[in-house]
Amino acid sequence: MATILITPRGYAKYGAAYKKQLESAGYEVDWNDTGKPLPREVFVEKTKQATGIIVGVDSLDRDLLLQCKNLRSIVKFGVGLDNIDLPTCDEMGIKVGRCIGTNSNAVAELTVGMMFAAARDLVGNVIHVKNREWVKPTGFELKGKNIGIIGFGNIGKNVARMAKGIGMHIYAYDIFEIPQQVLDQYEATQTTVDEILTSCDFITIHTPLTDETRNMISTGEFKKMKNTAILINAARGGIVNEKAIYEALKNHEVHAVCSDVFTSEPPQQEAWIDELLAMDQFILTAHIASRSQEAEMNTVIRATEVMLNNLE
């Protein structure tokens, strides 16, 4: 019997009914219900036998894919495909799908939450209070501030919707021309990355990680920003150069940086990384932006649909 391998823990937690749907369609389902990531060697051996894979962050590189003689479909339990060797999939005739839009609201909400947290020093102040230090920082409001949204897809549009409700001035950049009716809907102005860097109080990033976007924000870009600016990256590690974050915060070139991602997750233990993590003005979460109950359920449903369609 053809096997569908499912590695994301979110699918095991929320997808029992959809596992049965795959089984009813004639597939054996091998899912990761351990509550832990699959060890690499286990993932490799299971992948070699699978007809379909619903995958999270596990790497499907060329060397592994070439050993997968039965594999016909891969579905990313999310959006970013940077952990899947797409040219090799194309070469081997493996269909690749993803779950566009299922977690857009969740990621946008975390992005805006980070904006509030950084503007009012919430994380640092909570830590101070827990340490019995009654410190009372004076922050600033989001209303009336300029927000620059780099990447105006589903997540970027949701951030714009929320920012509009707050009363912010919205500037958007995308590699594609944004239709005027879309800009009007969000009361947004399309502009350049350079203009966003120099004029915006908040800058949020919602682009995929590609050769073009790797280190898109680095030392030169930080020097263009206001020293009161707050940068939020809820996209992918590697888009913002972390050593440049460290230098910019150390030199007070920007007010704060918030990130849900890091190039190496979890971050490696190096002196400068330890110092960065200890800074009050750097907020790092453990790649949780998409992890709401609603988003997990949406993604389970979409991943199942895409897999079944790919295997028809």
Side-chain angles (χ1 to χ4, degrees):
M1 183 181 291
T3 299
I4 295 175
L5 173 64
I6 303 175
T7 66
R9 288 164 282 175
Y11 197 108
K13 187 171 184 179
Y14 296 99
Y18 295 89
K19 174 178 180 280
K20 291 180 180 178
Q21 184 178 341
L22 293 170
E23 291 170 337
S24 296
Y27 299 101
E28 181 180 349
V29 176
D30 181 0
W31 70 351
N32 175 23
D33 59 356
T34 66
K36 301 176 181 179
L38 281 182
R40 178 65 182 176
E41 62 274 12
V42 175
F43 173 72
V44 167
E45 289 308 310
K46 289 178 178 291
T47 297
K48 291 177 184 178
Q49 307 303 319
T51 299
I53 302 174
I54 296 175
V55 68
V57 298
D58 301 284
S59 175
L60 286 161
D61 54 39
R62 179 174 177 82
D63 288 344
L64 176 55
L65 289 169
L66 290 174
Q67 301 177 66
C68 300
K69 305 304 180 184
N70 302 321
L71 191 56
R72 294 169 47 205
S73 172
I74 299 168
V75 178
K76 176 63 182 280
F77 195 76
V79 179
L81 299 174
D82 45 286
N83 60 317
I84 302 170
D85 190 319
L86 298 177
T88 301
C89 290
D90 188 56
E91 177 185 323
M92 297 178 66
I94 301 168
K95 294 182 179 178
V96 179
R98 52 184 180 156
C99 302
I100 296 173
T102 57
N103 60 23
S104 299
N105 186 72
V107 177
E109 285 190 4
L110 182 125
T111 298
V112 174
M114 283 182 158
M115 290 163 55
F116 280 110
R120 302 298 295 271
D121 192 25
L122 296 184
V123 175
N125 195 243
V126 167
I127 292 171
H128 284 303
V129 173
K130 286 180 180 292
N131 290 331
R132 310 299 292 179
E133 301 167 359
W134 201 248
V135 180
K136 300 176 76 171
T138 300
F140 51 91
E141 299 177 10
L142 275 61
K143 182 180 179 181
K145 301 300 190 299
N146 294 342
I147 178 173
I149 301 172
I150 300 176
F152 210 63
N154 289 322
I155 296 170
K157 290 185 180 72
N158 271 292
V159 171
R161 171 176 57 82
M162 297 174 198
K164 175 184 173 184
I166 294 167
M168 304 183 79
H169 305 299
I170 302 165
Y171 297 88
Y173 167 80
D174 200 89
I175 58 172
F176 302 108
E177 188 70 23
I178 304 171
Q180 188 59 49
Q181 63 266 30
V182 174
L183 293 171
D184 291 344
Q185 178 182 351
Y186 299 101
E187 298 179 10
T189 300
Q190 185 165 13
T191 187
T192 64
V193 170
D194 198 63
E195 182 64 25
I196 285 174
L197 294 175
T198 57
S199 67
C200 286
D201 305 293
F202 294 84
I203 300 167
T204 71
I205 299 172
H206 311 286
T207 65
L209 177 63
T210 65
D211 290 340
E212 289 73 29
T213 62
R214 191 179 302 277
N215 292 321
M216 179 174 68
I217 305 296
S218 193
T219 302
E221 286 71 30
F222 277 112
K223 291 186 181 301
K224 293 179 181 180
M225 296 180 197
K226 298 179 179 181
N227 60 12
T228 55
I230 294 173
L231 175 72
I232 299 97
N233 179 15
R236 280 291 183 271
I239 295 174
V240 181
N241 184 292
E242 284 118 8
K243 194 65 176 287
I245 295 174
Y246 169 70
E247 296 293 344
L249 291 175
K250 189 175 180 181
N251 297 325
H252 305 288
E253 293 173 348
V254 293
H255 179 72
V257 176
C258 308
S259 187
D260 184 51
V261 291
F262 213 80
T263 298
S264 58
E265 296 179 359
Q268 297 175 350
Q269 289 190 326
E270 296 184 37
W272 71 267
I273 293 178
D274 291 342
E275 190 175 340
L276 174 63
L277 294 175
M279 292 179 176
D280 283 349
Q281 298 309 102
F282 180 65
I283 298 173
L284 178 66
T285 48
H287 208 144
I288 61 168
S290 64
R291 292 180 65 85
S292 71
Q293 296 176 18
E294 295 83 356
E296 296 277 74
M297 194 70 244
N298 292 341
T299 309
V300 164
I301 296 169
R302 184 68 56 81
T304 305
E305 292 173 347
V306 174
M307 179 59 72
L308 290 172
N309 287 337
N310 282 356
L311 293 176
E312 282 183 350

